[in-house]
């Protein structure tokens, strides 16, 4: 199994920035892909960004392209989400997740970190 712990959430004004971190532990050698999802109150969880562990291939949701940047530090088994030009509609709980090279589907999830953007 892989354990994930997010950090870096908080309250920020519209237009501000936050940087989320997600530290992985456990069977980290099985990581194939890591991603960020978010869930706003009353809404379904939605994809934000993802990164492949081997070649850094990256994907973003249209709603965050040009504002958010996902990156990773393989040596520290950590993935980051730099969020710039934040908007009130970015307010949500942000979850880190990972897919292993055996299942190739998001399987392990962190506990989430709250991001609140005030207008």
């Amino acid at each position: 199994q892989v354990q994930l712990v997010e950090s870096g959430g908080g309250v920020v004004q519209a237009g501000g920035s936050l940087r989320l971190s997600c530290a992985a532990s456990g069977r980290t050698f099985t990581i194939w892909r890591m991603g960020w999802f978010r869930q706003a109150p009353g809404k379904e969880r939605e994809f934000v960004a993802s990164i492949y562990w081997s070649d850094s291939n990256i994907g973003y949701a249209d709603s965050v392209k040009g504002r958010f940047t996902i990156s990773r530090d393989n040596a520290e088994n950590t993935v980051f989400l730099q969020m710039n030009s934040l908007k009130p509609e970015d307010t949500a709980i942000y979850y880190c997740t990972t897919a292993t090279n055996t299942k190739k589907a998001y399987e392990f999830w962190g506990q989430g970190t709250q991001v609140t953007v005030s207008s």
Side-chain angles (χ1 to χ4, degrees):
Q1 289 197 349
V2 178
Q3 293 78 43
L4 303 171
V5 178
E6 303 100 331
S7 61
V11 180
V12 64
Q13 287 190 333
S17 298
L18 283 173
R19 189 189 195 210
L20 305 183
S21 299
C22 173
S25 61
R27 295 172 60 87
T28 56
F29 61 90
T30 66
I31 293 175
W32 175 64
R33 183 181 185 186
M34 292 192 74
W36 288 96
F37 283 68
R38 66 186 182 186
Q39 187 166 19
K43 294 188 178 181
E44 293 187 354
R45 191 173 296 189
E46 64 175 5
F47 169 77
V48 175
S50 67
I51 186 166
Y52 285 86
W53 218 238
S54 61
D55 64 6
S56 295
N57 195 7
I58 287 172
Y60 294 101
D62 288 343
S63 58
V64 306
K65 278 181 183 176
R67 301 187 299 122
F68 290 11
T69 302
I70 190 171
S71 61
R72 59 164 172 70
D73 182 334
N74 288 44
E76 296 295 328
N77 295 313
T78 300
V79 66
F80 305 97
L81 186 68
Q82 177 66 43
M83 305 185 296
N84 299 329
S85 302
L86 282 162
K87 305 175 181 179
E89 51 263 44
D90 294 317
T91 295
I93 299 175
Y94 283 71
Y95 297 91
C96 176
T97 181
T98 186
T100 63
N101 52 24
T102 52
K103 195 168 182 177
K104 290 186 166 58
Y106 291 122
E107 181 178 3
F108 302 106
W109 295 81
Q111 81 288 352
T113 185
Q114 177 70 49
V115 171
T116 302
V117 184
S118 61
S119 57

